[in-house]
Amino acid sequence: MPKTSGRLLSMLSLLQARRDWPGALLAERLQVSQRTVRRDVDRLRELGYPIAAIKGPDGGYRLDAGTDLPPLLFDDEQAVALAVALQITSGVIGEAAARALNTVRQVMPARLRRRIDTLRVSAVERPNPPVDSGVLMALSAAVHAREVLRFDYATTDGPPRQVQPHHLVTWGGRWYLVAWDLDRDDWRTFRVDRITPRVPTGPRFTPRELPGGDVAAFVANRFQGSDSGWPCRGEVILDLPADVVSTYTRDAVVEELGPDRCRLLAGAWSWPALAAMIGRFDADIEVVGPPELKAAFARLARRYAKAATS
């Protein structure tokens, strides 16, 4: 690879790794002058990468989001991780993930393609119908915008359903929409794989309060058929995407709070067992409640610390 081309790829990889890069630090990492950095930034801009200049005493650069998706650069581990994730996700959101996997595989070097071809992953524990990613995005947008949603539902005939969408959650590997049904004047839970949204959405509405005021408990009670469920139930916030957490939970409720943040309501036969189950996620944990769950985390922390030093 020509020296300049290799340097451009290295610069692009650095710009993708963190939000802001001071010009002097970028030059130091690439072992070139700041003048060369400015020229290489101009070359990347000509190739379609939206690199913005940062004003300030030191100056610097940032890779912004653009109107078009430019080519992305992944190292070997990132490329393999992406391919594995797409294999797993293809059973949940269907054709879009499968097409993305095929696109990634085609542009991989031969050494990585062989690794991917020998690592075939199938989410056999989740035979649920796949969900169209476009439907998920449409429902999520209506929830966040607080707009009345109209849709056709596969299990019913007649006119479209009209609801006030409040929450998008997962339960047992399926996506559900929790909404106030305007025609039935009551709360309803709809399977997302049976929803066909209609456009445009309706007027904005003022959110109602769920019975009990907690969507996770509301959904858990609906599916468990009682108000008791597990003897020990707790709620936490995890710094992980909802679709990642829902992959590893069966009888828990996961609510999306943002791109990389979700709320988890889960249960177990004991508080230490519940804390241990939540602790398996490699992410920061914020305990919402109850106090017994916090105490269980503290007990496990002491136990694990003792094991680590013994």
Side-chain angles (χ1 to χ4, degrees), residues 246-284:
S246 64
T247 302
Y248 302 100
T249 57
R250 288 186 176 274
D251 56 355
V253 176
V254 184
E255 180 188 6
E256 180 187 27
L257 298 180
D260 298 300
R261 192 172 170 83
C262 69
R263 199 158 63 115
L264 170 67
L265 176 74
W269 292 108
S270 70
W271 293 112
L274 179 57
M277 185 275 287
I278 297 172
R280 65 180 174 165
F281 294 104
D282 187 14
D284 289 339

Side-chain angles (χ1 to χ4, degrees), residues 53-64:
I54 303 172
K55 296 180 180 181
D58 299 327
Y61 303 95
R62 172 188 303 157
L63 181 61
D64 283 342

Side-chain angles (χ1 to χ4, degrees), residues 5-304:
S5 299
R7 192 174 63 245
L8 290 178
L9 290 176
S10 297
M11 176 181 287
L12 182 58
S13 179
L14 291 173
L15 290 171
Q16 291 176 171
R18 56 183 281 181
R19 178 170 175 79
D20 297 329
W21 276 95
L25 180 58
L26 198 56
E28 179 183 340
R29 291 290 296 271
L30 295 171
Q31 298 182 342
V32 297
S33 66
Q34 293 195 51
R35 181 179 179 183
T36 300
V37 167
R38 288 193 293 270
R39 287 202 303 263
D40 287 349
V41 166
D42 289 337
R43 292 189 179 101
L44 288 175
R45 287 169 175 164
E46 292 174 358
L47 294 173
Y49 293 95
I51 301 176
I54 303 172
K55 296 180 180 181
D58 299 327
Y61 303 95
R62 172 188 303 157
L63 181 61
D64 283 342
T67 54
D68 297 320
L69 181 65
L72 301 178
L73 180 67
F74 299 102
D75 59 30
D76 287 6
E77 291 184 355
Q78 289 175 322
V80 172
L82 177 61
V84 172
L86 288 172
Q87 285 189 45
I88 297 173
T89 309
S90 62
V92 182
I93 59 176
E95 183 186 355
R99 288 191 289 109
L101 174 60
N102 186 55
T103 300
V104 171
R105 183 187 177 281
Q106 287 183 9
V107 298
M108 280 183 172
R111 68 179 187 281
L112 292 183
R113 196 179 303 122
R114 285 192 293 269
R115 289 175 62 184
I116 294 302
D117 289 344
T118 59
L119 182 60
R120 289 295 177 182
V121 181
S122 299
V124 296
E125 77 280 3
R126 304 183 66 189
N128 299 318
V131 175
D132 188 287
S133 59
V135 173
L136 277 177
M137 292 180 64
L139 298 185
S140 179
V143 169
H144 287 284
R146 300 301 186 191
E147 293 178 343
V148 172
L149 185 68
R150 298 183 306 123
F151 59 85
D152 297 312
Y153 202 56
T155 60
T156 59
D157 297 324
R161 307 293 288 267
Q162 294 192 79
V163 303
Q164 295 176 346
H166 280 67
H167 301 279
L168 196 59
V169 301
T170 63
W171 174 274
R174 285 195 176 103
W175 285 93
Y176 293 90
L177 176 69
V178 178
W180 176 264
D181 194 315
L182 293 172
D183 296 323
R184 291 155 180 80
D185 200 30
D186 194 10
W187 289 100
R188 290 291 189 270
T189 304
F190 302 94
R191 274 178 48 175
V192 172
D193 60 286
R194 296 174 176 173
I195 291 177
T196 303
R198 292 202 175 194
V199 293
T201 53
R204 296 176 62 88
F205 62 88
T206 301
R208 300 170 183 265
E209 184 165 347
L210 273 169
D214 185 278
V215 63
F218 174 81
V219 174
N221 292 338
R222 284 291 177 100
F223 285 100
Q224 291 179 355
S226 69
D227 293 334
S228 57
W230 290 103
C232 301
R233 286 173 49 194
E235 178 181 346
V236 299
I237 294 176
L238 298 174
D239 288 339
L240 282 175
D243 57 347
V244 172
V245 174
S246 64
T247 302
Y248 302 100
T249 57
R250 288 186 176 274
D251 56 355
V253 176
V254 184
E255 180 188 6
E256 180 187 27
L257 298 180
D260 298 300
R261 192 172 170 83
C262 69
R263 199 158 63 115
L264 170 67
L265 176 74
W269 292 108
S270 70
W271 293 112
L274 179 57
M277 185 275 287
I278 297 172
R280 65 180 174 165
F281 294 104
D282 187 14
D284 289 339
I285 303 170
E286 176 187 338
V287 179
V288 178
E292 290 85 352
L293 181 57
K294 285 191 175 184
F297 273 114
R299 185 189 311 173
L300 291 183
R302 293 191 295 269
R303 187 177 298 164
Y304 290 159

